[in-house]
Amino acid sequence: MSATGTPLYCAELIQEGGACKPVLTDRPRHTVQTVCVSRRAGEQLPARLPKLGPTHLRGIRQR
């Protein structure tokens, strides 16, 4: 999959100690949102993304 156009959002999952922090960057507004979640919830995130299906993931760049 190739990414074209202007990126609007960037998402990262950062691990700190026993917790994970999903970090969402809104590039047009230059804002960052983050919350602490349990390590288990953070580990489940990659397994949940494919359930959105290709229609919902059309704009997500996969590495």
Side-chain angles (χ1 to χ4, degrees), residues 1-58:
M1 174 186 298
S2 67
T4 59
T6 304
L8 300 176
Y9 298 94
C10 176
E12 297 178 290
L13 185 62
I14 298 172
Q15 183 177 346
E16 287 185 353
C20 292
K21 285 179 155 182
V23 179
L24 179 65
T25 304
D26 181 335
R27 292 182 179 212
R29 293 182 182 90
H30 305 288
T31 60
V32 176
Q33 294 180 6
T34 184
V35 295
C36 288
V37 297
S38 70
R39 187 175 187 161
R40 184 169 185 246
E43 290 171 350
Q44 291 176 351
L45 185 60
R48 293 177 186 236
L49 287 176
K51 293 180 181 178
L52 293 173
T55 304
H56 295 92
L57 295 177
R58 198 171 292 148

